């Protein structure tokens, strides 16, 4: 008697589509443009899947249009600034 054969039942999903010629989030036209998490990933330190998970856990602000989740350019800039480490400023020495 042999063991039943394992079958791969996982469904492969197609790669998410990323539009071309997107405006940069820092530009005036990009501030209110809606980016998918996979499109926004190129301007953040996170992958598209990580951004999708952060949206699902409500860790970051996003736009919901009734079907899909989007990030505006302003939200992308704020997220990138929040993750940026500022250089340390030495305290001013006082003259004694």
């Amino acid at each position: 008697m042999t063991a039943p054969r394992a079958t791969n039942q996982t469904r492969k999903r197609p790669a998410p589509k990323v539009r071309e010629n997107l405006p940069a989030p820092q530009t005036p036209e990009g501030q209110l443009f809606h980016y998918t998490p996979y499109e926004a990933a190129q301007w953040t330190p996170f992958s598209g899947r990580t951004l999708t998970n952060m949206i699902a856990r409500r860790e970051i602000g996003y736009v919901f249009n009734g079907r899909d989740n989007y990030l505006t350019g302003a939200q992308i800039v704020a997220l990138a600034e929040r993750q940026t480490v500022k250089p340390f400023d030495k305290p001013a020495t006082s003259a004694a």
Side-chain angles (χ1 to χ4, degrees), residues 18-67:
V18 176
R19 297 172 284 183
E20 295 182 11
N21 301 326
L22 296 172
Q26 301 86 355
T27 61
E29 61 270 7
Q31 288 289 315
L32 297 177
F33 190 84
H34 290 133
Y35 302 87
T36 66
Y38 289 91
E39 293 168 344
Q42 61 183 325
W43 289 290
T44 65
F46 303 108
S47 68
R49 184 67 207 168
T50 302
L51 288 173
T52 303
N53 289 342
M54 291 171 77
I55 289 171
R57 291 189 306 257
R58 310 290 196 264
E59 293 177 2
I60 58 174
Y62 65 97
V63 177
F64 180 66
N65 72 350
R67 182 180 141 199

Side-chain angles (χ1 to χ4, degrees), residues 88-96:
F88 177 73
D89 292 333
K90 287 185 178 181
T93 57
S94 60

